[in-house]
Amino acid sequence: MSMDFNIFMNDVVRQAREEITSAGYQELKTPEEVEEALAKKGTTLVMINSVCGCAGGIARPAAAYSIHYDKRPDHLVTVFAGQDKDATEKARSYFTNFPPSSPSFALLKDGEICSMVERHQIEGHSPADVVAKLQQEFDKYCEEI
């Protein structure tokens, strides 16, 4: 039974990774990749991915749809909480004054945190609500494309 569960979880993780990367987000698996990505000039949206239901049913769809907008971040990246632990911890070190939360979104400009959409703003909300929240933040901090 343990073997079947591991195979199932590997499949769930693989699917969750594919969903977000196929939406155009670059997956960051090491602290070094996080440092390099978050050092870039411009705006960066970081999606903290996870295997929970609200990630699959709300956050990942919102991540995919929110970027089809007049204003959007220059860079789209993701780390996977519970899977790529060191990369996730490094990303969270940039989110000063915000407790760890997954799934969640952080919008940074020139490596500095501008805003967060935390789990409590995702769980129990519709994907459209989260898209609207993200796009409000894009309006504040991102350039028109």
Side-chain angles (χ1 to χ4, degrees):
M1 174 111 97
S2 169
M3 179 71 133
D4 290 341
F5 180 75
N6 289 337
I7 290 170
F8 170 76
M9 282 309 297
N10 288 340
D11 195 44
V12 169
V13 169
R14 181 187 49 74
Q15 182 179 351
R17 288 184 190 277
E18 286 175 3
E19 268 182 64
I20 197 69
T21 57
S22 68
Y25 289 72
Q26 175 192 357
E27 192 169 40
L28 308 174
K29 293 186 175 187
T30 68
E32 295 78 20
E33 289 175 345
V34 171
E35 283 181 6
E36 183 180 329
L38 300 188
K40 292 180 180 176
K41 291 290 181 200
T43 51
T44 303
L45 182 63
V46 182
M47 193 273 183
I48 308 292
N49 202 357
S50 73
V51 294
C52 74
C54 65
I58 302 166
R60 286 193 298 274
Y65 288 107
S66 66
I67 59 175
H68 299 284
Y69 193 60
D70 292 342
K71 292 184 177 183
R72 64 173 264 184
D74 300 312
H75 313 285
L76 304 170
V77 299
T78 184
V79 294
F80 206 123
Q83 299 298 314
D84 303 320
K85 293 176 184 172
D86 293 339
T88 302
E89 184 178 323
K90 185 64 177 178
R92 286 179 171 153
S93 75
Y94 287 80
F95 314 154
T96 53
N97 300 319
F98 293 96
S101 174
S102 60
S104 61
F105 296 90
L107 185 61
L108 291 89
K109 186 165 188 165
D110 300 331
E112 299 292 321
I113 187 79
C114 296
S115 67
M116 276 302 283
V117 176
E118 298 174 87
R119 181 186 177 109
H120 70 87
Q121 296 169 295
I122 296 169
E123 190 174 33
H125 296 270
S126 73
D129 292 339
V130 178
V131 167
K133 177 68 175 151
L134 287 169
Q135 290 176 345
Q136 283 177 334
E137 299 307 310
F138 298 168
D139 280 337
K140 289 182 205 170
Y141 300 105
C142 300
E143 301 293 321
E144 199 160 319
I145 54 171

